[in-house]
């Protein structure tokens, strides 16, 4: 019944074509490393979301090994470590990261780690640096709100939280 196409043989042919395509790319050193880096970063994110922090960290390190000059791999790993409460490790990763064009992202990550270590003054300075680089950085605005709330300045905290929500509605608390 149907079109009389043998599904098994057509899929094995498709798999061969697919494998040949990606094998050829992996043989090109630069492109293959970049692909492996992106795959490892995506798998790390998936593992982290499932709660497997250890596997996420291992995959993050794999991504860094494949693309040591890519600051995004370091930032992803540091972000996972911060969310897992491993603040000193996140700072260590950020110290090893190459210079990044995204100053705001790096500053916010470092500020979050510093705040997690109860270093509020450096965290505030780093959040200010992130906002100087990108005045609409919702994550930095949210952190400024958290810092204001921690020192008891509730009105200021509310203002920062509202600004963060305006910049990016997903940051509404």
């Amino acid at each position: 019944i149907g079109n009389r196409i043998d599904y098994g043989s057509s899929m094995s042919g498709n798999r061969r074509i697919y494998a040949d395509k990606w094998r050829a790319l992996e043989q090109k050193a630069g492109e293959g490393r970049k692909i492996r880096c992106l795959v490892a970063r995506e798998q790390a994110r998936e593992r982290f979301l499932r709660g497997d922090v250890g596997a996420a960290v291992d995959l993050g390190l794999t991504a860094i090994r494949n693309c040591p000059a890519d600051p995004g791999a370091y930032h992803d790993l540091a972000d996972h470590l911060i969310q897992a409460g491993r603040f000193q490790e996140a700072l260590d990763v950020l110290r090893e990261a190459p210079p990044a064009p995204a100053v705001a992202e790096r500053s916010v990550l470092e500020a979050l780690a510093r705040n997690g270590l109860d270093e509020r003054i450096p965290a505030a300075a780093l959040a200010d640096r992130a906002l100087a680089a990108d005045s609409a950085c919702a994550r930095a605005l949210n952190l400024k709100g958290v810092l204001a709330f921690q020192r008891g300045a509730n009105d200021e905290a509310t203002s920062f939280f509202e600004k963060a929500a305006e910049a990016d509605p997903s940051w509404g608390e």
Side-chain angles (χ1 to χ4, degrees), residues 138-139 142 161 164-173:
R139 204 167 186 187
N142 187 68
F161 291 142
E166 287 174 22
D168 181 356
S170 68
W171 281 97
E173 286 192 21

Side-chain angles (χ1 to χ4, degrees), residues 8 94 135:
L94 291 170
S135 62

Side-chain angles (χ1 to χ4, degrees), residues 15 39 45 50 56-57 79 82 88-89 116 134 147 151 157:
R15 274 191 214 100
V39 168
R45 188 182 71 76
R50 289 183 188 157
V57 169
D79 192 22
I82 289 166
Q88 188 58 53
E89 291 176 65
D134 179 7
L147 291 167
R151 31 172 227 279

Side-chain angles (χ1 to χ4, degrees), residues 6-146:
D6 182 16
Y7 179 76
S9 64
S10 67
M11 287 307 292
S12 66
N14 289 344
R15 274 191 214 100
R16 187 176 31 28
I17 292 168
Y18 179 83
D20 290 345
K21 172 186 173 183
W22 290 105
R23 192 175 307 112
L25 275 176
E26 286 202 0
Q27 290 172 353
K28 296 178 182 177
E31 292 175 9
R33 292 177 77 77
K34 195 171 199 174
I35 289 169
R36 286 190 298 276
C37 176
L38 292 172
V39 168
R41 285 173 67 182
E42 181 60 29
Q43 288 176 343
R45 188 182 71 76
E46 289 172 4
R47 294 287 171 86
F48 182 78
L49 291 174
R50 289 183 188 157
D52 190 355
V53 177
V57 169
D58 290 342
L59 286 162
L61 292 171
T62 299
I64 289 171
R65 274 192 298 278
N66 281 307
C67 289
D70 178 13
Y74 293 84
H75 292 180
D76 286 353
L77 178 56
D79 192 22
H80 294 151
L81 290 168
I82 289 166
Q83 291 182 46
R86 295 163 63 175
F87 305 112
Q88 188 58 53
E89 291 176 65
L91 285 175
D92 294 342
V93 168
L94 291 170
R95 272 191 217 103
E96 297 297 321
V103 174
E105 180 182 1
R106 184 182 184 122
S107 296
V108 167
L109 288 170
E110 190 173 343
L112 289 166
R114 296 273 178 211
N115 187 45
L117 293 171
D118 293 327
E119 299 175 9
R120 306 226 191 303
I121 294 171
L126 286 160
D128 289 336
R129 187 160 142 214
L131 289 171
D134 179 7
S135 62
C137 180
R139 204 167 186 187
L141 290 165
N142 187 68
L143 178 59
K144 292 286 286 181
V146 169

